[in-house]
Amino acid sequence: MGEKVLMKGNEAIGEAAVSAGCRHFFGYPITPQSELPAYLAKKMPLVGGVFLQAESEISAINMVYGAACAGVRVMTSSSSPGVSLKQEGISYLAGAELPVLVCNVQRAGPGLGTIQPSQADYFQAVKGGGHGDYRLITLSPSSVQEIIDLIRLGFDLADKYKTPAMFLADGMLGQLMEPVDLGEYKSEIKEKPWALSGCEGRAKNTVTSIWINPEEMERHNIHLQEKYAEIKKNEQRWENFHFDDEAEFLVVAHGSMARIAKSAVIKAREEGIKASLIRPITLWPFPENAFSSLKSLKKILVVEMNMGQMVEDVRLVVNGRIPVEFFGRAGGMFPTVEQTLGKIRGLIK
Amino acid sequence: MQKVFEKPVSIDEKPFSYCAGCTHGIIHRLVAESIDELGIREKVIGVAPVGCSVFAYEFFNFDMCSAAHGRAPAVATGIKRARPENIVFTYQGDGDLAAIGTAEIVHAAARAEKITTIFVNNAIYGMTGGQMAPTTLVGQKTDTTPYGRKVENQGYPIKVAEMLSTLEGANYIERVTVISPAHVNKAKAAIKKAFQYQIEGKGFNLIEVLSTCPSCWGMSPIKAIEWLKANMIPHYPLGVYKDGAKTE
Amino acid sequence: MHEELIIAGFGGQGVLLIGQMIAYAGLAENKHVLWMPAYGPETRGGFANCTVMVSDKELYSPVTTSPSSVIVMNLPSLDKFERSVEEGGLIVVNKSLVNREVFRGDIDKVVVPATEIATELGNVKAANMVALGAYIERRKTVKFETLINLLPKIFKGKEKLIPLNEKALIQGAEFVKNL
């Protein structure tokens, strides 16, 4: 255990990225993630890294594509409207199988929306925001410590599977300041023999996402799906909170929302309700294994800072075994502890 | 027997798939010869665009990637910033560079990125079958300007070399063409110089090459060359627009 | 011990800073802590507020709708947060900028002329420290010495401000002791 320091979520993203060996950041300003590029603008020159403010989100994600082609650990960050602009690039990254980390510190939409926190980009992240049949490893942190851990994990998983990863936080976590233990972390960055480095002493390398011949394009799609199946098998992550054999009620929530929901679960338990919670950490792959046994559960409540997105995945995996209800608020508003508790009470009756 | 002509090492085995009379093949060769002569083939990383030269990475024999439409200068920026010791270039057409990718090329030039761009201007979208390009001349007929480009409707063609040469970050900007052996020699010298500058750590460097598209212009290759000479050169004068970036 | 505190005032009154100081002090005492500023529309028009939590137990929800304590540095903040304080909780009011009584009868009240005391000490900007001193004296969320020990870290590079701020903290605490 190292010494704990207080750190703001947005800054923790930057600090964790640097500790994970990321030395290249390309981004475009947008609220509420501005502390992150500001932090990296200061930090990168001190560690021999590159910070570059691009002329657009589109340009930023394509600079990321270039740096990933060159084989370095690279990251970009933005907030919802900016991440919409990056979708073209993300599809190309998935197609070209380039490992990068994209951070989305979500705000409320649709459109220009508002800068208050939201989880309304769940669909965009896990169902594919860009064109084509692809998936993004999607990680949802719930504390500043977990921001550190999941940023590091995000780079490692992206490299391991040669695929872009999405770090899906929200404005609340970005602003939140909590103690973190940076620990003794050494990222093992493996050689990338496929990278573009100049063909000295070897045959030329090519990175592309075009397979104009449909047979080849289908083969590439099948290859991607096999890779996604492998990720689904190996990388599901979630947290159980009071989810034991006696639990009668289950709340499912992720990210900031899970923090609020946990407080509600604790209060419900103080009232004698056998409440529990599952917090998906990987949103894709969705932690289906967490729901393999519903034990003594009678009902499930999915709580989100949106109008109902993750609830669809919960319903898919529960597959009608027990009722799955939803409670959410949108537009930068979020369910409070009291409101969530009220829903739990109402449903347990 | 003395060998007087051979394929540059920087050109791969795959036969070009360009239309008959298209000048992409000549321009590819000039890029490859320049890279061979400068001895940088093993240091070069190329970025292919979207357009007729989308498969450029199959024709060149060195490390390359393909970029999304118009984004090659951003991709090249990412590569160059990650590997400043490598020689990075983009190869782009007029739709890619001067329409969908205008922001990327302008800002790469403004940042004085230490990269080289080969810009092939044939005043039309070839890959998609002959639509109006940002460089299509006023009055020129295309699939999407069947009555000719009209100023009232489509405005004016963009003069890329002139526009970019106004930027302080631009180091070397020259417009050339490849319609005769003399022009080819001049184009070769310009392309080589645009790489030489990057070797010296200088950028941004762009060579605009006026090129023919017999297929989409609906002309024979020879007619196309005459049309280029009569119509494009008067509108897009050849020459050096910038040589030496502003230094502080 | 579980404290959920909201600190509110005008931008420039240093409410975010004293919130962070409590969080740092809590961390130094090995407690669970978090700090979160309001951002966006809530902070427009020159208002600032933050939430601080200090607890012996793990912290979950970072937002509270019924804080156990509130420090208000001006009238709009009193108007906004008075109702929310948990029954039996504490409100600390900067009397210098609040020209009304606290209505609630079911909460503990500390009414301190923080701005006046700071002005007498020679710098109106230290009003936040006066309020912080008063709050800690009454609520004991963290030890007073822990806060004092933090000053060199908080004012790194502006060391000449430390004596003034230390005095302001002490005066705030003394004011409460003498109530």
Side-chain angles (χ1 to χ4, degrees):
Chain A
M1 286 274 285
E3 202 196 339
K4 283 199 171 179
V5 291
L6 270 181
M7 206 174 265
K8 220 175 177 185
N10 282 334
E11 294 172 350
I13 296 174
E15 182 62 35
V18 170
S19 78
C22 171
R23 292 292 179 274
H24 294 80
F25 178 92
F26 304 93
Y28 184 85
I30 185 168
T31 308
Q33 56 85 60
S34 306
E35 293 92 347
L36 168 54
Y39 186 84
L40 287 174
K42 229 185 237 177
K43 184 95 182 182
M44 281 303 193
L46 304 178
V47 295
V50 171
F51 169 90
L52 188 59
Q53 181 173 321
E55 67 273 19
S56 70
E57 299 282 6
I58 295 168
S59 193
I61 193 72
N62 284 284
M63 289 174 182
V64 163
Y65 179 101
C69 281
V72 299
R73 281 201 162 171
V74 57
M75 181 172 87
T76 184
S77 79
S78 188
S79 181
S80 308
V83 179
S84 292
L85 278 165
K86 290 186 195 294
Q87 292 304 322
E88 174 201 46
I90 291 172
S91 169
Y92 279 69
L93 287 161
E97 296 187 272
L98 288 170
V100 308
L101 190 59
V102 179
C103 296
N104 181 356
V105 181
Q106 294 169 94
R107 58 191 249 186
L112 201 47
T114 171
I115 61 178
Q116 296 302 110
S118 166
Q119 296 181 323
D121 301 347
Y122 179 92
F123 281 156
Q124 185 193 58
V126 309
K127 308 288 178 189
H131 61 282
D133 241 335
Y134 73 91
R135 296 289 191 172
L136 290 178
I137 294 174
T138 304
L139 304 170
S140 168
S142 191
S143 68
V144 182
Q145 180 65 54
E146 204 176 32
I147 284 177
I148 300 276
D149 301 340
L150 292 187
I151 287 282
R152 290 166 172 172
L153 178 70
F155 279 111
D156 286 345
L157 291 181
D159 274 355
K160 181 176 175 187
Y161 295 102
K162 271 190 82 190
T163 196
M166 173 70 74
F167 183 82
L168 198 65
D170 64 65
M172 195 187 295
L173 271 174
Q175 297 298 320
L176 181 63
M177 194 177 208
E178 285 186 311
V180 295
D181 180 358
L182 292 168
E184 296 288 316
Y185 179 79
K186 192 98 179 87
S187 200
E188 272 183 52
I189 306 177
K190 297 208 173 69
E191 274 292 296
K192 295 172 177 170
W194 49 265
L196 308 184
S197 57
C199 57
E200 197 175 343
R202 60 162 168 78
K204 70 175 185 182
N205 280 344
T206 302
V207 177
T208 185
S209 67
I210 185 171
W211 281 268
I212 202 75
N213 175 328
E215 283 87 2
E216 284 178 28
M217 189 73 244
E218 187 186 44
R219 255 202 309 281
H220 183 62
N221 265 282
I222 290 167
H223 159 68
L224 289 179
Q225 293 303 320
E226 284 168 353
K227 181 167 80 174
Y228 298 149
E230 192 68 18
I231 297 172
K232 214 168 157 177
K233 196 177 83 190
N234 299 337
E235 307 299 345
Q236 294 182 31
R237 284 170 171 80
W238 71 92
E239 180 197 356
N240 284 339
F241 185 75
H242 294 292
F243 186 40
D244 52 30
D245 288 336
E246 266 129 54
E248 292 181 359
F249 194 89
L250 176 69
V251 178
V252 185
H254 76 91
S256 295
M257 192 59 239
R259 298 279 294 259
I260 297 170
K262 278 180 178 174
S263 289
V265 164
I266 287 188
K267 289 198 166 160
R269 293 181 71 84
E270 283 166 7
E271 294 176 10
I273 299 169
K274 288 176 181 167
S276 61
L277 180 140
I278 287 177
R279 178 174 70 87
I281 296 170
T282 50
L283 302 182
W284 194 88
F286 190 74
E288 294 175 3
N289 297 345
F291 300 85
S292 53
S293 162
L294 300 180
K295 303 175 182 173
S296 46
L297 288 181
K298 296 200 172 84
K299 252 177 199 166
I300 295 178
L301 173 67
V302 181
V303 195
E304 299 180 69
M305 285 152 60
N306 61 43
M307 296 311 252
Q309 300 193 15
M310 184 175 71
V311 62
E312 292 191 2
D313 284 332
V314 177
R315 283 189 178 132
L316 269 176
V317 64
V318 170
N319 199 16
R321 284 177 284 169
I322 54 170
V324 177
E325 307 289 342
F326 173 74
F327 177 50
R329 297 193 63 186
M333 303 298 290
F334 46 84
T336 63
V337 175
E338 291 71 25
Q339 288 167 346
T340 308
L341 180 61
K343 284 282 161 189
I344 296 173
R345 283 192 199 120
L347 286 167
I348 206 77
K349 267 186 202 146
Chain B
M1 200 166 70
Q2 199 194 351
K3 202 174 195 178
V4 292
F5 192 79
E6 63 184 334
K7 181 176 75 60
V9 183
S10 287
I11 292 288
D12 215 335
E13 300 301 325
K14 180 147 182 153
F16 290 168
S17 49
Y18 297 110
C19 306
C22 167
T23 45
H24 266 305
I26 298 172
I27 302 164
H28 277 27
R29 187 180 167 95
L30 298 184
V31 169
E33 283 180 358
S34 300
I35 287 170
D36 281 4
E37 288 166 23
L38 290 167
I40 54 174
R41 190 186 73 88
E42 295 184 327
K43 285 178 81 178
V44 161
I45 300 174
V47 183
V50 172
C52 289
S53 44
V54 65
F55 294 114
Y57 60 85
E58 294 194 332
F59 308 136
F60 286 119
N61 182 25
F62 40 69
D63 279 11
M64 275 192 89
C65 68
S66 65
H69 200 19
R71 319 298 178 215
V75 171
T77 297
I79 296 171
K80 188 70 181 181
R81 297 291 180 124
R83 294 191 178 271
E85 69 284 4
N86 285 82
I87 302 299
V88 181
F89 80 97
T90 72
Y91 188 104
Q92 302 176 260
D94 41 44
D96 193 82
L97 182 140
I100 199 165
T102 315
E104 282 78 4
I105 197 67
V106 166
H107 286 270
R111 284 192 305 266
E113 288 298 338
K114 312 293 182 280
I115 61 172
T116 301
T117 290
I118 309 301
F119 168 46
V120 180
N121 176 5
N122 59 11
I124 204 153
Y125 280 77
M127 181 70 143
T128 45
Q131 295 82 7
M132 183 190 73
T135 49
T136 291
L137 297 176
V138 173
Q140 189 182 339
K141 285 183 180 173
T142 70
D143 260 17
T144 49
T145 54
Y147 309 107
R149 180 176 188 157
K150 288 193 172 67
V151 167
E152 311 85 76
N153 195 16
Q154 293 95 2
Y156 298 91
I158 292 179
K159 298 179 177 183
V160 170
E162 287 87 335
M163 180 176 77
L164 294 180
S165 65
T166 65
L167 298 171
E168 286 167 52
N171 174 61
Y172 174 46
I173 310 273
E174 182 167 352
R175 183 183 287 127
V176 297
T177 188
V178 287
I179 53 172
S180 76
H183 284 110
V184 167
N185 285 339
K186 262 194 136 165
K188 163 81 179 292
I191 288 169
K192 196 168 168 182
K193 192 169 163 187
F195 279 104
Q196 179 60 41
Y197 269 135
Q198 188 181 163
I199 293 168
E200 293 164 15
K202 292 174 188 160
F204 167 81
N205 312 295
L206 177 140
I207 304 302
E208 176 174 345
V209 189
L210 299 184
S211 180
T212 59
C213 182
S215 297
C216 292
W217 291 357
M219 299 173 195
S220 70
I222 291 184
K223 188 94 195 301
I225 284 171
E226 284 164 12
W227 190 87
L228 187 156
K229 208 188 278 179
N231 298 281
M232 285 184 75
I233 294 178
H235 189 77
Y236 299 114
L238 306 178
V240 177
Y241 285 85
K242 186 92 187 270
D243 196 349
K246 188 182 172 181
T247 46
E248 281 157 50
Chain C
M1 198 277 295
H2 179 85
E3 176 79 330
E4 299 187 356
L5 167 69
I6 288 176
I7 311 171
F10 292 126
Q13 279 187 308
V15 302
L16 303 186
L17 178 72
I18 58 171
Q20 287 193 354
M21 282 179 67
I22 297 168
Y24 277 114
L27 178 63
E29 296 179 9
N30 288 316
K31 297 194 166 81
H32 295 276
V33 298
L34 65 79
W35 173 92
M36 194 168 70
Y39 73 95
E42 279 182 74
T43 60
R44 294 291 182 266
F47 296 104
N49 78 73
C50 64
T51 302
V52 188
M53 295 188 188
V54 181
S55 183
D56 297 325
K57 292 177 292 182
E58 191 175 348
L59 293 167
Y60 300 115
S61 175
V63 286
T64 177
T65 46
S66 51
S68 43
S69 295
V70 164
I71 301 172
V72 292
M73 295 299 290
N74 60 11
L75 180 62
S77 300
L78 177 64
D79 292 342
K80 187 170 178 187
F81 291 106
E82 182 178 356
R83 276 165 194 270
S84 68
V85 184
E86 174 183 79
E87 208 183 304
L90 167 70
I91 192 158
V92 177
V93 179
N94 176 16
K95 190 186 170 194
S96 313
L97 299 182
V98 173
N99 59 2
R100 73 162 173 87
E101 300 286 307
V102 176
F103 300 132
R104 293 274 298 271
D106 59 343
I107 55 174
D108 186 14
K109 287 167 260 192
V110 168
V111 181
V112 51
T115 305
E116 282 164 48
I117 291 172
T119 309
E120 278 166 27
L121 285 173
N123 193 338
V124 63
K125 283 191 171 174
N128 59 340
M129 294 292 166
V130 177
L132 175 58
Y135 161 77
I136 290 297
E137 178 57 31
R138 179 61 65 101
R139 198 72 176 172
K140 314 270 192 230
T141 306
V142 293
K143 292 195 188 82
F144 193 78
E145 305 84 73
T146 314
L147 282 181
I148 298 288
N149 292 341
L150 270 177
L151 290 173
K153 179 180 173 170
I154 300 290
F155 292 100
K156 201 172 176 194
K158 300 176 204 162
E159 279 78 7
K160 64 178 199 306
L161 293 173
I162 294 176
L164 168 75
N165 283 283
E166 186 170 339
K167 253 184 246 167
L169 277 170
I170 293 168
Q171 292 264 306
E174 289 297 321
F175 182 86
V176 171
K177 280 182 198 162
N178 296 332
L179 277 177

